[in-house]
């Protein structure tokens, strides 16, 4: 018993001398590649007084916008949490982000992300367009701005200088045809307003008067 009391006394002196709390920690929170101010604020407000590592992990694991995180406990300098954000490749239906791993996570009203593709379509068709988004057809400065699906025209690709209508069914043949058409238009310096690929008979070009 005397030996145990002696050990506890030494332990108490150690923590007293170095002023290290036994059941608390202060965390410095670092965000890497973060772009959503609302999500950042939520994490800071939730964790700024939290010292329980298990509760911190449970909270962070629920946030789909977080790709991964690192928790570092230090005795002689502030402990830290490094949070790595997912990088979205497009906005879906104006309220969600989708990243390269096809993870869908909520987009807040205060999200800021410049020059990102916008896609509007039913969830059942999102898989069909995902492969193309990872390998977009773009030539020169004619970048893809948005992709929309409607029940009348099907898929409509909006580029900076023209609109491409691909119909309701997407396949490699249409993508190859679109790529060749864009190369032709660029080489010939032609600027149609609409490139219609819905017909099997060929490509129709419409020019504004």
């Amino acid at each position: 018993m005397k030996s145990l009391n002696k050990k506890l006394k030494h332990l108490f002196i150690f923590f007293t001398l170095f002023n290290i709390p036994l059941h608390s920690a202060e965390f410095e929170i670092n965000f890497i590649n973060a772009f959503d101010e609302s999500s950042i604020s939520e994490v800071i407000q939730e964790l700024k007084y939290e010292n329980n590592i298990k509760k911190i992990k449970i909270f962070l694991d629920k946030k789909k916008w977080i790709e991964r995180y690192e928790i570092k406990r230090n005795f002689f300098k502030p402990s830290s949490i490094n949070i790595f954000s997912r990088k979205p490749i497009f906005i879906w239906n104006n309220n969600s982000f989708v990243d390269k791993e096809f993870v869908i996570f909520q987009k807040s009203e205060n999200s800021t992300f410049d020059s990102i593709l916008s896609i509007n379509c039913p969830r059942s068709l999102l898989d069909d367009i995902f492969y193309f988004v990872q390998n977009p057809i773009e030539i020169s400065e004619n970048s893809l701005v948005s992709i929309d699906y409607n029940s009348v025209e099907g898929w409509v690709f909006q580029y900076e200088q023209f609109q491409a209508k691909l119909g309701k069914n997407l396949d490699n043949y249409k993508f190859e045809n679109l790529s060749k058409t864009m190369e032709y238009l660029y080489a010939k310096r032609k600027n149609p307003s609409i490139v219609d690929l819905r017909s099997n008979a060929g490509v129709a070009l419409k020019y504004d008067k």
Side-chain angles (χ1 to χ4, degrees):
M1 177 63 87
K2 289 183 178 180
S3 176
L4 178 60
N5 289 335
K6 188 176 182 180
K7 288 181 180 179
L8 289 174
K9 183 178 180 181
H10 287 165
L11 183 63
F12 174 77
I13 292 172
F14 173 81
F15 280 104
T16 302
L17 286 175
F18 290 99
N19 193 28
I20 301 174
L22 287 171
H23 300 291
S24 65
E26 293 181 359
F27 288 96
E28 178 182 279
I29 305 175
N30 303 307
F31 296 90
I32 295 87
N33 298 326
F35 57 89
D36 191 326
E37 294 181 5
S38 294
S39 298
I40 292 173
S41 297
E42 180 189 8
V43 170
I44 292 174
Q45 291 298 318
E46 186 71 24
L47 300 184
K48 64 181 180 180
Y49 299 122
E50 184 57 72
N51 302 315
N52 187 299
I53 296 295
K54 184 177 180 181
K55 289 182 179 179
I56 291 174
K57 288 182 176 181
I58 291 174
F59 174 78
L60 294 177
D61 286 339
K62 292 179 180 179
K63 304 302 174 183
K64 299 184 73 174
W65 63 271
I66 297 177
E67 185 175 22
R68 61 188 177 90
Y69 58 85
E70 300 169 347
I71 300 176
K72 298 180 179 180
R73 294 292 297 269
N74 301 301
F75 284 109
F76 302 106
K77 59 181 180 180
S79 298
S80 64
I81 304 174
N82 296 325
I83 298 174
F84 297 81
S85 301
R86 294 185 179 278
K87 184 178 180 180
I89 57 176
F90 63 86
I91 297 172
W92 175 50
N93 288 348
N94 299 317
N95 57 26
S96 299
F97 285 118
V98 181
D99 77 346
K100 62 182 179 180
E101 297 176 353
F102 204 34
V103 175
I104 301 171
F105 52 101
Q106 195 69 26
K107 173 185 176 295
S108 72
E109 294 181 358
N110 297 324
S111 296
T112 56
F113 210 96
D114 297 330
S115 303
I116 186 170
L117 177 66
S118 173
I119 296 180
N120 295 285
C121 70
R123 176 62 182 86
S124 58
L125 298 177
L126 192 59
D127 295 23
D128 296 342
I129 201 65
F130 185 66
Y131 172 78
F132 174 81
V133 171
Q134 293 178 301
N135 304 274
I137 299 172
E138 297 180 352
I139 294 180
S140 186
E141 297 180 354
N142 206 350
S143 299
L144 185 60
V145 177
S146 65
I147 299 176
D148 297 284
Y149 181 88
N150 66 73
S151 59
V152 177
E153 296 179 312
W155 292 103
V156 178
F157 288 29
Q158 183 64 55
Y159 286 85
E160 289 182 350
Q161 299 178 8
F162 70 92
Q163 189 180 84
K165 298 181 179 182
L166 280 76
K168 296 182 179 181
N169 299 314
L170 297 176
D171 52 44
N172 290 331
Y173 173 77
K174 285 187 178 180
F175 289 141
E176 290 174 5
N177 211 359
L178 175 60
S179 179
K180 291 177 181 178
T181 301
M182 290 181 66
E183 290 175 0
Y184 167 80
L185 296 174
Y186 179 73
K188 298 297 182 180
R189 296 293 189 267
K190 292 182 177 294
N191 298 299
S193 58
I194 296 176
V195 176
D196 197 335
L197 297 99
R198 290 175 294 175
S199 174
N200 293 329
V203 180
L205 304 178
K206 179 181 178 181
Y207 294 85
D208 289 333
K209 295 181 180 180

